Amino acid sequence: MKILSIQSSVAYGHVGNSAAVFPLQRIGVEVMPVHTVNFSNHTGYGAWRGPLIDPADVRDVVTGIEERGAFADTDAILSGYQGGEGIADVILDAVARVKAANPAALYACDPVMGNAKSGCFVAPAIPVLLRDRVVPAADIITPNQFELGFLTGTEPDTLASTLESADLARAMGPSVVLVTSVERPDREPGTIEMLAVTPEGAWLVTTPYLPLKANGSGDVTAALFTAYYVRTRNAAEALARTTSSVFDLLRTTHESGRRELELVAAQEFYAHPQLQFEVRQVR
């Protein structure tokens, strides 16, 4: 399997491509990372160094990959945080070019905007751009519950309302919606959930809630789910494997007491997920 991943990159810590590439490689995926920024660290620290990469330069890298003939056997395109408006055009153009070379390729978009605790943390134009142009071009999207609400103009909280919101998102264009950080008022205390919705049905998985802020965990989640879904076309299996790997990554990080993801220390949990959580069909 081969994935073109157009995302940010940091030297210190793990977000964007710096979070997604290694877990994908560890499960046997060939990754072609194209960076949209080259920062010293993620912006959650409040200070960072390094450049935003001009969209024209990002496009040039994509073109160079295309010139090597790589698009014909590219199975998926993956995108995440979009720091500026110009990068969306580059991503959508790359998706069109890959799909022209391989019509079976899927585009997975992680529509990063914010979360329920922090609100939106991207430029005001980005959520609208994602909703109106990028998400409709995607085959798979991986919003958290907050982002799903913005995309669909709803307030998903119960399982029923979250399923309804996921269906509205699917009506926009994507066939597969993975909703992360699902927090239902009637869930078991001390837990958090993920929900996968496809034309074939919907599946929910529950894990213990770990009290840590883990920048990059959403990038790992989107990457692993995309790879497993593209490989199997089985949302329940992709959800089970992704949940197991990401939970053990977060548990390893929490136990370390460190701020950044323990991405390397947890590598066996990508290669050999324990599959310790039940995935139940809810529709």
Side-chain angles (χ1 to χ4, degrees):
M1 183 189 300
K2 184 182 292 182
I3 291 180
L4 176 68
S5 182
I6 307 175
Q7 300 196 58
S8 59
S9 178
V10 296
Y12 177 80
H14 302 290
V15 300
N17 273 332
S18 304
V21 172
F22 178 62
L24 288 173
Q25 291 172 329
R26 197 65 180 82
I27 65 169
V29 176
E30 185 71 38
V31 189
M32 298 177 290
V34 177
H35 303 324
T36 57
V37 309
N38 187 22
F39 287 166
S40 55
N41 50 271
H42 67 70
T43 58
Y45 285 96
W48 64 93
R49 295 179 182 271
L52 285 165
I53 299 175
D54 189 281
D57 292 330
V58 179
R59 189 188 300 269
D60 207 33
V61 173
V62 172
T63 298
I65 296 170
E66 182 181 35
E67 289 170 347
R68 304 286 74 75
F71 286 178
D73 60 350
T74 295
D75 300 288
I77 310 97
L78 176 65
S79 72
Y81 172 79
Q82 297 185 23
E85 298 176 54
I87 202 64
D89 288 330
V90 177
I91 291 169
L92 292 172
D93 180 59
V95 169
R97 288 152 72 179
V98 169
K99 289 195 170 195
N102 178 15
L106 299 182
Y107 169 39
C109 169
D110 185 9
V112 179
M113 306 174 198
N115 56 60
K117 294 182 177 65
S118 305
C120 274
F121 49 66
V122 297
I126 297 298
V128 176
L129 180 65
L130 287 167
R131 181 192 64 199
D132 294 347
R133 294 191 56 213
V134 182
V135 165
D139 301 290
I140 302 168
I141 59 171
T142 60
N144 60 37
Q145 201 170 20
F146 171 83
E147 292 160 344
L148 177 65
F150 177 85
L151 290 173
T152 59
T154 61
E155 295 184 4
D157 52 2
T158 65
L159 178 58
S161 63
T162 305
L163 284 167
E164 289 171 5
S165 297
D167 288 339
L168 289 172
R170 290 182 55 248
M172 296 168 65
S175 61
V176 177
V177 176
L178 176 70
V179 189
T180 64
S181 301
V182 175
E183 299 187 64
R184 298 182 292 133
D186 58 343
R187 73 190 186 282
E188 191 75 22
T191 65
I192 195 165
E193 297 170 324
M194 279 203 290
L195 174 71
V197 184
T198 78
E200 292 73 39
W203 293 266
L204 186 73
V205 63
T206 304
T207 71
Y209 173 79
L210 296 172
L212 76 163
K213 183 179 180 181
N215 295 89
S217 58
D219 303 319
V220 177
T221 301
L224 289 177
F225 181 83
T226 297
Y228 285 131
Y229 183 79
V230 170
R231 181 178 285 169
T232 67
R233 294 301 200 271
N234 184 317
E237 180 177 343
L239 182 60
R241 290 181 172 274
T242 300
T243 302
S244 176
S245 296
V246 172
F247 177 81
D248 280 327
L249 167 62
L250 293 175
R251 178 183 54 77
T252 302
T253 302
H254 184 53
E255 291 171 353
S256 76
R258 297 186 178 93
R259 176 170 178 173
E260 296 293 342
L261 290 178
E262 289 289 292
L263 199 74
V264 175
Q267 62 181 289
E268 287 303 313
F269 298 121
Y270 325 136
H272 307 289
Q274 298 186 81
L275 301 177
Q276 68 271 49
F277 302 110
E278 177 190 4
V279 173
R280 60 186 180 96
Q281 189 162 6
V282 292
R283 191 174 66 190

